[in-house]
Amino acid sequence: MLFAFTEDQAAITEAARGMLIESCTPADLRRLLANGEAIDKTRWQTIIDMGLLGICAPEDKGGLGLSLIDFVGIAEAAGYVALPEPLIEMAGVVVPLLASLDDKGWLARVLAGEIVAVGHPANPLVSEADGAAAFVLSSGDDLHLVERDAVTLTRVDSFDPFRRLFCADWAPSAATHVNGGWRQTAQRGAVLAAAQMLGLGQRCVDIAVAYAKDRHQFGKPIGCYQAVKHLLADAQVKIEFARPVVHAAAIELPLGSPAAKARVAHAKLAAAEAADLAARTAVQVHGAMGMTWEVDVHFFLKRALALKTAWGTPAMHMAQVIDRMTALPTGPEHTFAASFEHG
């Protein structure tokens, strides 16, 4: 059995990754912070022009009709650059959700670049809300599509300066009610957060490796010393072991089974641990400088810590994994969630 991305999947990911790496550098992040800007309008327009927002939208609604596994590499690339624009939230979470609802025309508006923020019960606060033109919010089991002027926002401090969080006050009504439910929104969000954390962890390792080659002590680059090599190797191994779990979660999610849900939880846990180790390792390799604003590592460390609790806390995901381990058979023949679909 071959486990690999197709040429088309690899080409789409590589095109997006190249654009993001070229346009979203640490210097660009610092420029946005200095100017108090949340979004680089030029980069956001490029994202729209490349059709990235419509990758997971149905073809009959103006999208490419691709699946989560087709998008997971782009999510990892967005994590690699700590992308401040909400590409992953819009294309990977909001667009599939709106496509399943009576979207009142908002799906087309999102594909054109407008932002719809999501107030899912898995997240106590709403992210990117200040730039949103509308919100999908829940009242009990009902979903409501609420326009911006009907919502009062209160800013809440965030560890990540690019992850703007808000409390949203609003009143449900018959006019805002839309048919449909959250379906797999939380699971999609968790898989894509995991993919971003893979990218964040990889960027931390790459930054630390570059520094270890450049920084000299006792006449040699510090990367020559085993103590530094082992730290970086352990972090890279953690990422390599987490990556296939994230990919498996993306491809198994549509099954909707308890085993598939546990795979999502496992992916989030594994990616969070990998990103956490990579970020802490990068800080340590940089020595005392690693904790300072001047070193770029802090952008990726903060995003990794923020995503760790997005779309479910580690405790919630651990409970999901334990439920699967205690309720379903284990062993090599039950490695994949699809094995339960065929008895």
Side-chain angles (χ1 to χ4, degrees), residues 67-235:
S67 61
L68 188 61
I69 190 63
D70 301 302
F71 190 63
V72 74
I74 297 175
E76 184 174 344
Y80 189 81
V81 301
L83 185 70
E85 291 80 28
L87 163 62
I88 305 308
E89 292 78 5
M90 291 304 104
V93 177
V94 172
V95 164
L97 174 62
L98 289 176
S100 69
L101 301 175
D102 173 19
D103 70 286
K104 302 181 180 180
W106 277 99
L107 176 56
R109 295 175 68 169
V110 170
L111 296 183
E114 292 195 66
I115 294 172
V116 172
V118 171
H120 192 281
N123 297 319
L125 300 170
V126 182
S127 64
E128 327 305 334
D130 55 339
F135 297 78
V136 179
L137 302 166
S138 61
S139 176
D141 294 332
D142 296 329
L143 292 192
H144 293 260
L145 191 47
V146 189
E147 299 208 13
R148 172 67 183 85
D149 57 7
V151 179
T152 300
L153 298 176
T154 304
R155 181 80 180 262
V156 177
D157 289 339
S158 173
F159 193 81
D160 178 358
F162 287 108
R163 188 170 170 81
R164 303 176 317 285
L165 301 176
F166 296 84
C167 290
D169 292 322
W170 62 289
S173 69
T176 60
H177 181 263
V178 290
N179 294 321
W182 287 115
R183 302 191 182 190
Q184 296 181 330
T185 297
Q187 287 77 27
R188 292 181 69 91
V191 170
L192 293 172
Q196 290 179 81
M197 286 191 286
L198 289 179
L200 290 161
Q202 188 62 59
R203 187 60 175 273
C204 288
V205 170
D206 290 352
I207 291 174
V209 168
Y211 181 76
K213 291 178 179 177
D214 183 64
R215 177 81 166 98
H216 284 63
Q217 275 289 9
F218 307 110
K220 297 179 180 178
I222 62 172
C224 292
Y225 299 104
Q226 284 193 340
V228 176
K229 287 182 179 177
H230 288 175
L231 283 176
L232 293 168
D234 288 346

Side-chain angles (χ1 to χ4, degrees), residues 296-308:
D296 294 335
V297 172
H298 76 91
F299 287 119
F300 308 96
L301 165 67
K302 291 172 181 173
R303 181 65 57 82
L305 289 176
L307 289 178
K308 186 175 182 178

